[in-house]
Amino acid sequence: PSARNTGMPASTIAGGWEGCCSQANGSTERKITTTTAFCGQRGLDIQSTTAMENVLFSPLTRTGDVGRTFLLKGYAFVSAASAGGSLKLDVFDLMTSKPVAATTALVATTSNWQELSVSGTIPTGGRIQVRINSSGTLRASLDELSFLIN
């Protein structure tokens, strides 16, 4: 399964995950692989080349959870980063077109898997996206992504 930043061809990653955004230069491709996993059998391989804030997102409507606390967490391994390469996770509010909360971006190679986590509150309207953001030139793996609402 894979997804490109252009959305073409359509994403084949299960669970409603879509690639965004089309740009004149640069690209990001994401693939589910069995060779890069933190835990278990599969992980997400991310390859960005001069990307401009490309995202892989999953839209969620959580109107019944407005005001409740969430936790977004995953494990990342960055094997190469240059030319502004960065990787982060965030929760994006579709009503205000702004992030609700974002992890600190990984901007350099890592010697091991690093936990990325952030918490926040489900915003008014409850229309959000869970997003994996990549910029610049980067090769990374992401695994054990979870989004929990308390």
Side-chain angles (χ1 to χ4, degrees), residues 62 65-72 91-93 99-101 118-128 147-150:
R62 305 299 305 187
D65 292 320
V66 169
R68 294 179 72 185
T69 302
F70 65 78
L71 173 66
L72 174 61
V91 175
F92 190 80
D93 182 349
V100 174
V118 68
S119 61
T121 304
I122 301 292
T124 301
R127 294 185 56 236
I128 58 174
F147 181 70
L148 305 170
I149 300 173
N150 296 320

mmCIF file with all atom_site columns, all heavy atoms in Angstrom, residues 62 65-72 91-93 99-101 118-128 147-150:
data_model
loop_
_atom_site.group_PDB
_atom_site.id
_atom_site.type_symbol
_atom_site.label_atom_id
_atom_site.label_alt_id
_atom_site.label_comp_id
_atom_site.label_asym_id
_atom_site.label_entity_id
_atom_site.label_seq_id
_atom_site.pdbx_PDB_ins_code
_atom_site.Cartn_x
_atom_site.Cartn_y
_atom_site.Cartn_z
_atom_site.occupancy
_atom_site.B_iso_or_equiv
_atom_site.pdbx_formal_charge
_atom_site.auth_seq_id
_atom_site.auth_comp_id
_atom_site.auth_asym_id
_atom_site.auth_atom_id
_atom_site.pdbx_PDB_model_num
ATOM 1   N N   . ARG A 1 62  ? -15.514 13.988 15.043 1.00 0.00 ? 62  ARG A N   1
ATOM 2   C CA  . ARG A 1 62  ? -15.662 13.572 16.445 1.00 0.00 ? 62  ARG A CA  1
ATOM 3   C C   . ARG A 1 62  ? -16.519 14.586 17.201 1.00 0.00 ? 62  ARG A C   1
ATOM 4   O O   . ARG A 1 62  ? -16.133 15.076 18.253 1.00 0.00 ? 62  ARG A O   1
ATOM 5   C CB  . ARG A 1 62  ? -14.283 13.435 17.093 1.00 0.00 ? 62  ARG A CB  1
ATOM 6   C CG  . ARG A 1 62  ? -13.305 12.508 16.389 1.00 0.00 ? 62  ARG A CG  1
ATOM 7   C CD  . ARG A 1 62  ? -13.779 11.103 16.301 1.00 0.00 ? 62  ARG A CD  1
ATOM 8   N NE  . ARG A 1 62  ? -14.106 10.593 17.609 1.00 0.00 ? 62  ARG A NE  1
ATOM 9   C CZ  . ARG A 1 62  ? -14.418 9.342  17.868 1.00 0.00 ? 62  ARG A CZ  1
ATOM 10  N NH1 . ARG A 1 62  ? -14.474 8.460  16.895 1.00 0.00 ? 62  ARG A NH1 1
ATOM 11  N NH2 . ARG A 1 62  ? -14.709 8.966  19.082 1.00 0.00 ? 62  ARG A NH2 1
ATOM 12  N N   . ASP A 1 65  ? -17.084 14.223 20.856 1.00 0.00 ? 65  ASP A N   1
ATOM 13  C CA  . ASP A 1 65  ? -15.901 14.280 21.717 1.00 0.00 ? 65  ASP A CA  1
ATOM 14  C C   . ASP A 1 65  ? -15.346 15.688 21.894 1.00 0.00 ? 65  ASP A C   1
ATOM 15  O O   . ASP A 1 65  ? -14.256 15.866 22.440 1.00 0.00 ? 65  ASP A O   1
ATOM 16  C CB  . ASP A 1 65  ? -14.798 13.379 21.143 1.00 0.00 ? 65  ASP A CB  1
ATOM 17  C CG  . ASP A 1 65  ? -15.162 11.912 21.238 1.00 0.00 ? 65  ASP A CG  1
ATOM 18  O OD1 . ASP A 1 65  ? -15.727 11.508 22.266 1.00 0.00 ? 65  ASP A OD1 1
ATOM 19  O OD2 . ASP A 1 65  ? -14.882 11.172 20.277 1.00 0.00 ? 65  ASP A OD2 1
ATOM 20  N N   . VAL A 1 66  ? -16.077 16.719 21.437 1.00 0.00 ? 66  VAL A N   1
ATOM 21  C CA  . VAL A 1 66  ? -15.617 18.099 21.568 1.00 0.00 ? 66  VAL A CA  1
ATOM 22  C C   . VAL A 1 66  ? -15.294 18.390 23.035 1.00 0.00 ? 66  VAL A C   1
ATOM 23  O O   . VAL A 1 66  ? -16.077 18.060 23.928 1.00 0.00 ? 66  VAL A O   1
ATOM 24  C CB  . VAL A 1 66  ? -16.679 19.089 21.030 1.00 0.00 ? 66  VAL A CB  1
ATOM 25  C CG1 . VAL A 1 66  ? -16.343 20.528 21.399 1.00 0.00 ? 66  VAL A CG1 1
ATOM 26  C CG2 . VAL A 1 66  ? -16.810 18.938 19.520 1.00 0.00 ? 66  VAL A CG2 1
ATOM 27  N N   . GLY A 1 67  ? -14.129 18.978 23.279 1.00 0.00 ? 67  GLY A N   1
ATOM 28  C CA  . GLY A 1 67  ? -13.701 19.319 24.635 1.00 0.00 ? 67  GLY A CA  1
ATOM 29  C C   . GLY A 1 67  ? -12.948 18.213 25.349 1.00 0.00 ? 67  GLY A C   1
ATOM 30  O O   . GLY A 1 67  ? -12.358 18.463 26.401 1.00 0.00 ? 67  GLY A O   1
ATOM 31  N N   . ARG A 1 68  ? -12.965 17.016 24.788 1.00 0.00 ? 68  ARG A N   1
ATOM 32  C CA  . ARG A 1 68  ? -12.242 15.909 25.416 1.00 0.00 ? 68  ARG A CA  1
ATOM 33  C C   . ARG A 1 68  ? -10.765 15.949 25.008 1.00 0.00 ? 68  ARG A C   1
ATOM 34  O O   . ARG A 1 68  ? -10.403 16.489 23.968 1.00 0.00 ? 68  ARG A O   1
ATOM 35  C CB  . ARG A 1 68  ? -12.862 14.570 25.033 1.00 0.00 ? 68  ARG A CB  1
ATOM 36  C CG  . ARG A 1 68  ? -14.286 14.440 25.615 1.00 0.00 ? 68  ARG A CG  1
ATOM 37  C CD  . ARG A 1 68  ? -14.946 13.168 25.252 1.00 0.00 ? 68  ARG A CD  1
ATOM 38  N NE  . ARG A 1 68  ? -14.341 12.071 25.987 1.00 0.00 ? 68  ARG A NE  1
ATOM 39  C CZ  . ARG A 1 68  ? -14.658 10.790 25.812 1.00 0.00 ? 68  ARG A CZ  1
ATOM 40  N NH1 . ARG A 1 68  ? -15.576 10.456 24.921 1.00 0.00 ? 68  ARG A NH1 1
ATOM 41  N NH2 . ARG A 1 68  ? -14.074 9.850  26.496 1.00 0.00 ? 68  ARG A NH2 1
ATOM 42  N N   . THR A 1 69  ? -9.922  15.343 25.815 1.00 0.00 ? 69  THR A N   1
ATOM 43  C CA  . THR A 1 69  ? -8.483  15.323 25.590 1.00 0.00 ? 69  THR A CA  1
ATOM 44  C C   . THR A 1 69  ? -8.098  14.171 24.668 1.00 0.00 ? 69  THR A C   1
ATOM 45  O O   . THR A 1 69  ? -8.641  13.074 24.783 1.00 0.00 ? 69  THR A O   1
ATOM 46  C CB  . THR A 1 69  ? -7.739  15.171 26.931 1.00 0.00 ? 69  THR A CB  1
ATOM 47  O OG1 . THR A 1 69  ? -8.122  16.247 27.785 1.00 0.00 ? 69  THR A OG1 1
ATOM 48  C CG2 . THR A 1 69  ? -6.235  15.183 26.749 1.00 0.00 ? 69  THR A CG2 1
ATOM 49  N N   . PHE A 1 70  ? -7.150  14.435 23.762 1.00 0.00 ? 70  PHE A N   1
ATOM 50  C CA  . PHE A 1 70  ? -6.625  13.384 22.893 1.00 0.00 ? 70  PHE A CA  1
ATOM 51  C C   . PHE A 1 70  ? -5.119  13.246 23.098 1.00 0.00 ? 70  PHE A C   1
ATOM 52  O O   . PHE A 1 70  ? -4.453  14.154 23.596 1.00 0.00 ? 70  PHE A O   1
ATOM 53  C CB  . PHE A 1 70  ? -6.932  13.661 21.409 1.00 0.00 ? 70  PHE A CB  1
ATOM 54  C CG  . PHE A 1 70  ? -6.254  14.881 20.853 1.00 0.00 ? 70  PHE A CG  1
ATOM 55  C CD1 . PHE A 1 70  ? -4.905  14.867 20.489 1.00 0.00 ? 70  PHE A CD1 1
ATOM 56  C CD2 . PHE A 1 70  ? -6.957  16.054 20.686 1.00 0.00 ? 70  PHE A CD2 1
ATOM 57  C CE1 . PHE A 1 70  ? -4.290  15.995 19.987 1.00 0.00 ? 70  PHE A CE1 1
ATOM 58  C CE2 . PHE A 1 70  ? -6.352  17.193 20.174 1.00 0.00 ? 70  PHE A CE2 1
ATOM 59  C CZ  . PHE A 1 70  ? -5.003  17.159 19.826 1.00 0.00 ? 70  PHE A CZ  1
ATOM 60  N N   . LEU A 1 71  ? -4.606  12.104 22.692 1.00 0.00 ? 71  LEU A N   1
ATOM 61  C CA  . LEU A 1 71  ? -3.166  11.843 22.671 1.00 0.00 ? 71  LEU A CA  1
ATOM 62  C C   . LEU A 1 71  ? -2.836  11.240 21.314 1.00 0.00 ? 71  LEU A C   1
ATOM 63  O O   . LEU A 1 71  ? -3.419  10.224 20.924 1.00 0.00 ? 71  LEU A O   1
ATOM 64  C CB  . LEU A 1 71  ? -2.760  10.877 23.789 1.00 0.00 ? 71  LEU A CB  1
ATOM 65  C CG  . LEU A 1 71  ? -1.296  10.405 23.770 1.00 0.00 ? 71  LEU A CG  1
ATOM 66  C CD1 . LEU A 1 71  ? -0.350  11.569 24.033 1.00 0.00 ? 71  LEU A CD1 1
ATOM 67  C CD2 . LEU A 1 71  ? -1.083  9.290  24.787 1.00 0.00 ? 71  LEU A CD2 1
ATOM 68  N N   . LEU A 1 72  ? -1.931  11.872 20.589 1.00 0.00 ? 72  LEU A N   1
ATOM 69  C CA  . LEU A 1 72  ? -1.410  11.360 19.319 1.00 0.00 ? 72  LEU A CA  1
ATOM 70  C C   . LEU A 1 72  ? 0.023   10.937 19.565 1.00 0.00 ? 72  LEU A C   1
ATOM 71  O O   . LEU A 1 72  ? 0.821   11.709 20.106 1.00 0.00 ? 72  LEU A O   1
ATOM 72  C CB  . LEU A 1 72  ? -1.474  12.445 18.242 1.00 0.00 ? 72  LEU A CB  1
ATOM 73  C CG  . LEU A 1 72  ? -0.833  12.116 16.894 1.00 0.00 ? 72  LEU A CG  1
ATOM 74  C CD1 . LEU A 1 72  ? -1.482  10.913 16.230 1.00 0.00 ? 72  LEU A CD1 1
ATOM 75  C CD2 . LEU A 1 72  ? -0.897  13.342 15.977 1.00 0.00 ? 72  LEU A CD2 1
ATOM 76  N N   . VAL A 1 91  ? -2.452  17.258 14.857 1.00 0.00 ? 91  VAL A N   1
ATOM 77  C CA  . VAL A 1 91  ? -3.903  17.172 14.734 1.00 0.00 ? 91  VAL A CA  1
ATOM 78  C C   . VAL A 1 91  ? -4.337  18.533 14.213 1.00 0.00 ? 91  VAL A C   1
ATOM 79  O O   . VAL A 1 91  ? -3.988  19.574 14.778 1.00 0.00 ? 91  VAL A O   1
ATOM 80  C CB  . VAL A 1 91  ? -4.576  16.837 16.084 1.00 0.00 ? 91  VAL A CB  1
ATOM 81  C CG1 . VAL A 1 91  ? -6.089  16.877 15.959 1.00 0.00 ? 91  VAL A CG1 1
ATOM 82  C CG2 . VAL A 1 91  ? -4.119  15.461 16.557 1.00 0.00 ? 91  VAL A CG2 1
ATOM 83  N N   . PHE A 1 92  ? -5.082  18.523 13.110 1.00 0.00 ? 92  PHE A N   1
ATOM 84  C CA  . PHE A 1 92  ? -5.449  19.737 12.378 1.00 0.00 ? 92  PHE A CA  1
ATOM 85  C C   . PHE A 1 92  ? -6.950  19.974 12.489 1.00 0.00 ? 92  PHE A C   1
ATOM 86  O O   . PHE A 1 92  ? -7.742  19.056 12.293 1.00 0.00 ? 92  PHE A O   1
ATOM 87  C CB  . PHE A 1 92  ? -5.039  19.558 10.914 1.00 0.00 ? 92  PHE A CB  1
ATOM 88  C CG  . PHE A 1 92  ? -5.136  20.787 10.074 1.00 0.00 ? 92  PHE A CG  1
ATOM 89  C CD1 . PHE A 1 92  ? -4.137  21.748 10.112 1.00 0.00 ? 92  PHE A CD1 1
ATOM 90  C CD2 . PHE A 1 92  ? -6.210  20.972 9.222  1.00 0.00 ? 92  PHE A CD2 1
ATOM 91  C CE1 . PHE A 1 92  ? -4.200  22.881 9.311  1.00 0.00 ? 92  PHE A CE1 1
ATOM 92  C CE2 . PHE A 1 92  ? -6.292  22.104 8.415  1.00 0.00 ? 92  PHE A CE2 1
ATOM 93  C CZ  . PHE A 1 92  ? -5.290  23.063 8.465  1.00 0.00 ? 92  PHE A CZ  1
ATOM 94  N N   . ASP A 1 93  ? -7.344  21.198 12.807 1.00 0.00 ? 93  ASP A N   1
ATOM 95  C CA  . ASP A 1 93  ? -8.747  21.586 12.941 1.00 0.00 ? 93  ASP A CA  1
ATOM 96  C C   . ASP A 1 93  ? -9.264  22.033 11.574 1.00 0.00 ? 93  ASP A C   1
ATOM 97  O O   . ASP A 1 93  ? -8.821  23.053 11.037 1.00 0.00 ? 93  ASP A O   1
ATOM 98  C CB  . ASP A 1 93  ? -8.867  22.719 13.951 1.00 0.00 ? 93  ASP A CB  1
ATOM 99  C CG  . ASP A 1 93  ? -10.290 23.172 14.216 1.00 0.00 ? 93  ASP A CG  1
ATOM 100 O OD1 . ASP A 1 93  ? -11.216 22.763 13.471 1.00 0.00 ? 93  ASP A OD1 1
ATOM 101 O OD2 . ASP A 1 93  ? -10.481 23.940 15.174 1.00 0.00 ? 93  ASP A OD2 1
ATOM 102 N N   . PRO A 1 99  ? -3.471  23.931 12.947 1.00 0.00 ? 99  PRO A N   1
ATOM 103 C CA  . PRO A 1 99  ? -3.172  22.796 13.824 1.00 0.00 ? 99  PRO A CA  1
ATOM 104 C C   . PRO A 1 99  ? -3.681  23.052 15.244 1.00 0.00 ? 99  PRO A C   1
ATOM 105 O O   . PRO A 1 99  ? -3.593  24.168 15.750 1.00 0.00 ? 99  PRO A O   1
ATOM 106 C CB  . PRO A 1 99  ? -1.644  22.716 13.809 1.00 0.00 ? 99  PRO A CB  1
ATOM 107 C CG  . PRO A 1 99  ? -1.226  23.474 12.594 1.00 0.00 ? 99  PRO A CG  1
ATOM 108 C CD  . PRO A 1 99  ? -2.270  24.537 12.391 1.00 0.00 ? 99  PRO A CD  1
ATOM 109 N N   . VAL A 1 100 ? -4.213  22.012 15.859 1.00 0.00 ? 100 VAL A N   1
ATOM 110 C CA  . VAL A 1 100 ? -4.630  22.059 17.261 1.00 0.00 ? 100 VAL A CA  1
ATOM 111 C C   . VAL A 1 100 ? -3.411  21.809 18.138 1.00 0.00 ? 100 VAL A C   1
ATOM 112 O O   . VAL A 1 100 ? -3.212  22.471 19.156 1.00 0.00 ? 100 VAL A O   1
ATOM 113 C CB  . VAL A 1 100 ? -5.712  21.000 17.555 1.00 0.00 ? 100 VAL A CB  1
ATOM 114 C CG1 . VAL A 1 100 ? -6.054  20.943 19.029 1.00 0.00 ? 100 VAL A CG1 1
ATOM 115 C CG2 . VAL A 1 100 ? -6.946  21.251 16.718 1.00 0.00 ? 100 VAL A CG2 1
ATOM 116 N N   . ALA A 1 101 ? -2.596  20.845 17.741 1.00 0.00 ? 101 ALA A N   1
ATOM 117 C CA  . ALA A 1 101 ? -1.399  20.473 18.486 1.00 0.00 ? 101 ALA A CA  1
ATOM 118 C C   . ALA A 1 101 ? -0.449  19.751 17.543 1.00 0.00 ? 101 ALA A C   1
ATOM 119 O O   . ALA A 1 101 ? -0.893  19.036 16.647 1.00 0.00 ? 101 ALA A O   1
ATOM 120 C CB  . ALA A 1 101 ? -1.768  19.565 19.661 1.00 0.00 ? 101 ALA A CB  1
ATOM 121 N N   . VAL A 1 118 ? 1.952   14.110 21.324 1.00 0.00 ? 118 VAL A N   1
ATOM 122 C CA  . VAL A 1 118 ? 1.361   15.401 21.637 1.00 0.00 ? 118 VAL A CA  1
ATOM 123 C C   . VAL A 1 118 ? -0.065  15.171 22.114 1.00 0.00 ? 118 VAL A C   1
ATOM 124 O O   . VAL A 1 118 ? -0.736  14.235 21.682 1.00 0.00 ? 118 VAL A O   1
ATOM 125 C CB  . VAL A 1 118 ? 1.403   16.344 20.405 1.00 0.00 ? 118 VAL A CB  1
ATOM 126 C CG1 . VAL A 1 118 ? 0.496   15.863 19.292 1.00 0.00 ? 118 VAL A CG1 1
ATOM 127 C CG2 . VAL A 1 118 ? 1.077   17.768 20.791 1.00 0.00 ? 118 VAL A CG2 1
ATOM 128 N N   . SER A 1 119 ? -0.502  16.027 23.025 1.00 0.00 ? 119 SER A N   1
ATOM 129 C CA  . SER A 1 119 ? -1.881  15.933 23.486 1.00 0.00 ? 119 SER A CA  1
ATOM 130 C C   . SER A 1 119 ? -2.555  17.288 23.275 1.00 0.00 ? 119 SER A C   1
ATOM 131 O O   . SER A 1 119 ? -1.895  18.313 23.092 1.00 0.00 ? 119 SER A O   1
ATOM 132 C CB  . SER A 1 119 ? -1.947  15.526 24.962 1.00 0.00 ? 119 SER A CB  1
ATOM 133 O OG  . SER A 1 119 ? -1.297  16.489 25.761 1.00 0.00 ? 119 SER A OG  1
ATOM 134 N N   . GLY A 1 120 ? -3.862  17.271 23.282 1.00 0.00 ? 120 GLY A N   1
ATOM 135 C CA  . GLY A 1 120 ? -4.642  18.489 23.095 1.00 0.00 ? 120 GLY A CA  1
ATOM 136 C C   . GLY A 1 120 ? -6.100  18.202 23.364 1.00 0.00 ? 120 GLY A C   1
ATOM 137 O O   . GLY A 1 120 ? -6.454  17.160 23.923 1.00 0.00 ? 120 GLY A O   1
ATOM 138 N N   . THR A 1 121 ? -6.951  19.109 22.939 1.00 0.00 ? 121 THR A N   1
ATOM 139 C CA  . THR A 1 121 ? -8.384  19.005 23.151 1.00 0.00 ? 121 THR A CA  1
ATOM 140 C C   . THR A 1 121 ? -9.104  19.011 21.808 1.00 0.00 ? 121 THR A C   1
ATOM 141 O O   . THR A 1 121 ? -8.766  19.813 20.935 1.00 0.00 ? 121 THR A O   1
ATOM 142 C CB  . THR A 1 121 ? -8.875  20.197 24.010 1.00 0.00 ? 121 THR A CB  1
ATOM 143 O OG1 . THR A 1 121 ? -8.131  20.208 25.235 1.00 0.00 ? 121 THR A OG1 1
ATOM 144 C CG2 . THR A 1 121 ? -10.349 20.089 24.320 1.00 0.00 ? 121 THR A CG2 1
ATOM 145 N N   . ILE A 1 122 ? -10.080 18.125 21.657 1.00 0.00 ? 122 ILE A N   1
ATOM 146 C CA  . ILE A 1 122 ? -10.883 18.101 20.435 1.00 0.00 ? 122 ILE A CA  1
ATOM 147 C C   . ILE A 1 122 ? -11.590 19.450 20.323 1.00 0.00 ? 122 ILE A C   1
ATOM 148 O O   . ILE A 1 122 ? -12.308 19.856 21.235 1.00 0.00 ? 122 ILE A O   1
ATOM 149 C CB  . ILE A 1 122 ? -11.921 16.953 20.453 1.00 0.00 ? 122 ILE A CB  1
ATOM 150 C CG1 . ILE A 1 122 ? -11.248 15.580 20.612 1.00 0.00 ? 122 ILE A CG1 1
ATOM 151 C CG2 . ILE A 1 122 ? -12.805 17.000 19.197 1.00 0.00 ? 122 ILE A CG2 1
ATOM 152 C CD1 . ILE A 1 122 ? -10.416 15.129 19.441 1.00 0.00 ? 122 ILE A CD1 1
ATOM 153 N N   . PRO A 1 123 ? -11.375 20.176 19.196 1.00 0.00 ? 123 PRO A N   1
ATOM 154 C CA  . PRO A 1 123 ? -11.912 21.532 19.072 1.00 0.00 ? 123 PRO A CA  1
ATOM 155 C C   . PRO A 1 123 ? -13.415 21.574 18.759 1.00 0.00 ? 123 PRO A C   1
ATOM 156 O O   . PRO A 1 123 ? -14.005 20.566 18.357 1.00 0.00 ? 123 PRO A O   1
ATOM 157 C CB  . PRO A 1 123 ? -11.114 22.107 17.903 1.00 0.00 ? 123 PRO A CB  1
ATOM 158 C CG  . PRO A 1 123 ? -10.809 20.912 17.058 1.00 0.00 ? 123 PRO A CG  1
ATOM 159 C CD  . PRO A 1 123 ? -10.581 19.787 18.034 1.00 0.00 ? 123 PRO A CD  1
ATOM 160 N N   . THR A 1 124 ? -13.995 22.753 18.896 1.00 0.00 ? 124 THR A N   1
ATOM 161 C CA  . THR A 1 124 ? -15.398 22.988 18.544 1.00 0.00 ? 124 THR A CA  1
ATOM 162 C C   . THR A 1 124 ? -15.657 22.511 17.123 1.00 0.00 ? 124 THR A C   1
ATOM 163 O O   . THR A 1 124 ? -14.873 22.780 16.228 1.00 0.00 ? 124 THR A O   1
ATOM 164 C CB  . THR A 1 124 ? -15.730 24.491 18.665 1.00 0.00 ? 124 THR A CB  1
ATOM 165 O OG1 . THR A 1 124 ? -15.465 24.894 20.000 1.00 0.00 ? 124 THR A OG1 1
ATOM 166 C CG2 . THR A 1 124 ? -17.174 24.781 18.299 1.00 0.00 ? 124 THR A CG2 1
ATOM 167 N N   . GLY A 1 125 ? -16.735 21.799 16.927 1.00 0.00 ? 125 GLY A N   1
ATOM 168 C CA  . GLY A 1 125 ? -17.074 21.252 15.608 1.00 0.00 ? 125 GLY A CA  1
ATOM 169 C C   . GLY A 1 125 ? -16.631 19.812 15.448 1.00 0.00 ? 125 GLY A C   1
ATOM 170 O O   . GLY A 1 125 ? -17.267 19.040 14.747 1.00 0.00 ? 125 GLY A O   1
ATOM 171 N N   . GLY A 1 126 ? -15.518 19.456 16.088 1.00 0.00 ? 126 GLY A N   1
ATOM 172 C CA  . GLY A 1 126 ? -15.051 18.068 16.077 1.00 0.00 ? 126 GLY A CA  1
ATOM 173 C C   . GLY A 1 126 ? -14.555 17.552 14.735 1.00 0.00 ? 126 GLY A C   1
ATOM 174 O O   . GLY A 1 126 ? -14.357 16.358 14.575 1.00 0.00 ? 126 GLY A O   1
ATOM 175 N N   . ARG A 1 127 ? -14.322 18.428 13.757 1.00 0.00 ? 127 ARG A N   1
ATOM 176 C CA  . ARG A 1 127 ? -13.839 17.998 12.435 1.00 0.00 ? 127 ARG A CA  1
ATOM 177 C C   . ARG A 1 127 ? -12.327 18.199 12.384 1.00 0.00 ? 127 ARG A C   1
ATOM 178 O O   . ARG A 1 127 ? -11.844 19.322 12.332 1.00 0.00 ? 127 ARG A O   1
ATOM 179 C CB  . ARG A 1 127 ? -14.528 18.784 11.320 1.00 0.00 ? 127 ARG A CB  1
ATOM 180 C CG  . ARG A 1 127 ? -16.012 18.466 11.252 1.00 0.00 ? 127 ARG A CG  1
ATOM 181 C CD  . ARG A 1 127 ? -16.718 19.143 10.090 1.00 0.00 ? 127 ARG A CD  1
ATOM 182 N NE  . ARG A 1 127 ? -16.090 18.803 8.821  1.00 0.00 ? 127 ARG A NE  1
ATOM 183 C CZ  . ARG A 1 127 ? -15.610 19.709 7.948  1.00 0.00 ? 127 ARG A CZ  1
ATOM 184 N NH1 . ARG A 1 127 ? -15.696 20.994 8.198  1.00 0.00 ? 127 ARG A NH1 1
ATOM 185 N NH2 . ARG A 1 127 ? -15.056 19.317 6.825  1.00 0.00 ? 127 ARG A NH2 1
ATOM 186 N N   . ILE A 1 128 ? -11.600 17.091 12.423 1.00 0.00 ? 128 ILE A N   1
ATOM 187 C CA  . ILE A 1 128 ? -10.144 17.144 12.522 1.00 0.00 ? 128 ILE A CA  1
ATOM 188 C C   . ILE A 1 128 ? -9.484  16.205 11.516 1.00 0.00 ? 128 ILE A C   1
ATOM 189 O O   . ILE A 1 128 ? -10.154 15.365 10.900 1.00 0.00 ? 128 ILE A O   1
ATOM 190 C CB  . ILE A 1 128 ? -9.676  16.768 13.944 1.00 0.00 ? 128 ILE A CB  1
ATOM 191 C CG1 . ILE A 1 128 ? -10.180 15.363 14.330 1.00 0.00 ? 128 ILE A CG1 1
ATOM 192 C CG2 . ILE A 1 128 ? -10.113 17.821 14.964 1.00 0.00 ? 128 ILE A CG2 1
ATOM 193 C CD1 . ILE A 1 128 ? -9.661  14.852 15.651 1.00 0.00 ? 128 ILE A CD1 1
ATOM 194 N N   . PHE A 1 147 ? -4.015  7.249  18.040 1.00 0.00 ? 147 PHE A N   1
ATOM 195 C CA  . PHE A 1 147 ? -4.762  8.458  18.380 1.00 0.00 ? 147 PHE A CA  1
ATOM 196 C C   . PHE A 1 147 ? -5.822  8.033  19.377 1.00 0.00 ? 147 PHE A C   1
ATOM 197 O O   . PHE A 1 147 ? -6.754  7.301  19.033 1.00 0.00 ? 147 PHE A O   1
ATOM 198 C CB  . PHE A 1 147 ? -5.398  9.062  17.114 1.00 0.00 ? 147 PHE A CB  1
ATOM 199 C CG  . PHE A 1 147 ? -6.169  10.324 17.388 1.00 0.00 ? 147 PHE A CG  1
ATOM 200 C CD1 . PHE A 1 147 ? -5.522  11.492 17.742 1.00 0.00 ? 147 PHE A CD1 1
ATOM 201 C CD2 . PHE A 1 147 ? -7.556  10.333 17.285 1.00 0.00 ? 147 PHE A CD2 1
ATOM 202 C CE1 . PHE A 1 147 ? -6.236  12.654 17.979 1.00 0.00 ? 147 PHE A CE1 1
ATOM 203 C CE2 . PHE A 1 147 ? -8.282  11.480 17.513 1.00 0.00 ? 147 PHE A CE2 1
ATOM 204 C CZ  . PHE A 1 147 ? -7.620  12.649 17.874 1.00 0.00 ? 147 PHE A CZ  1
ATOM 205 N N   . LEU A 1 148 ? -5.669  8.468  20.610 1.00 0.00 ? 148 LEU A N   1
ATOM 206 C CA  . LEU A 1 148 ? -6.572  8.073  21.698 1.00 0.00 ? 148 LEU A CA  1
ATOM 207 C C   . LEU A 1 148 ? -7.325  9.280  22.218 1.00 0.00 ? 148 LEU A C   1
ATOM 208 O O   . LEU A 1 148 ? -6.741  10.355 22.412 1.00 0.00 ? 148 LEU A O   1
ATOM 209 C CB  . LEU A 1 148 ? -5.781  7.447  22.840 1.00 0.00 ? 148 LEU A CB  1
ATOM 210 C CG  . LEU A 1 148 ? -4.885  6.265  22.460 1.00 0.00 ? 148 LEU A CG  1
ATOM 211 C CD1 . LEU A 1 148 ? -3.971  5.893  23.623 1.00 0.00 ? 148 LEU A CD1 1
ATOM 212 C CD2 . LEU A 1 148 ? -5.723  5.085  22.041 1.00 0.00 ? 148 LEU A CD2 1
ATOM 213 N N   . ILE A 1 149 ? -8.620  9.110  22.478 1.00 0.00 ? 149 ILE A N   1
ATOM 214 C CA  . ILE A 1 149 ? -9.443  10.170 23.068 1.00 0.00 ? 149 ILE A CA  1
ATOM 215 C C   . ILE A 1 149 ? -9.861  9.706  24.451 1.00 0.00 ? 149 ILE A C   1
ATOM 216 O O   . ILE A 1 149 ? -10.390 8.610  24.623 1.00 0.00 ? 149 ILE A O   1
ATOM 217 C CB  . ILE A 1 149 ? -10.682 10.462 22.196 1.00 0.00 ? 149 ILE A CB  1
ATOM 218 C CG1 . ILE A 1 149 ? -10.246 10.921 20.807 1.00 0.00 ? 149 ILE A CG1 1
ATOM 219 C CG2 . ILE A 1 149 ? -11.585 11.510 22.859 1.00 0.00 ? 149 ILE A CG2 1
ATOM 220 C CD1 . ILE A 1 149 ? -11.378 11.072 19.811 1.00 0.00 ? 149 ILE A CD1 1
ATOM 221 N N   . ASN A 1 150 ? -9.593  10.544 25.458 1.00 0.00 ? 150 ASN A N   1
ATOM 222 C CA  . ASN A 1 150 ? -9.928  10.202 26.849 1.00 0.00 ? 150 ASN A CA  1
ATOM 223 C C   . ASN A 1 150 ? -11.266 10.770 27.240 1.00 0.00 ? 150 ASN A C   1
ATOM 224 O O   . ASN A 1 150 ? -11.658 11.812 26.865 1.00 0.00 ? 150 ASN A O   1
ATOM 225 C CB  . ASN A 1 150 ? -8.854  10.733 27.806 1.00 0.00 ? 150 ASN A CB  1
ATOM 226 C CG  . ASN A 1 150 ? -7.524  10.062 27.555 1.00 0.00 ? 150 ASN A CG  1
ATOM 227 O OD1 . ASN A 1 150 ? -7.458  8.884  27.302 1.00 0.00 ? 150 ASN A OD1 1
ATOM 228 N ND2 . ASN A 1 150 ? -6.468  10.853 27.629 1.00 0.00 ? 150 ASN A ND2 1
#
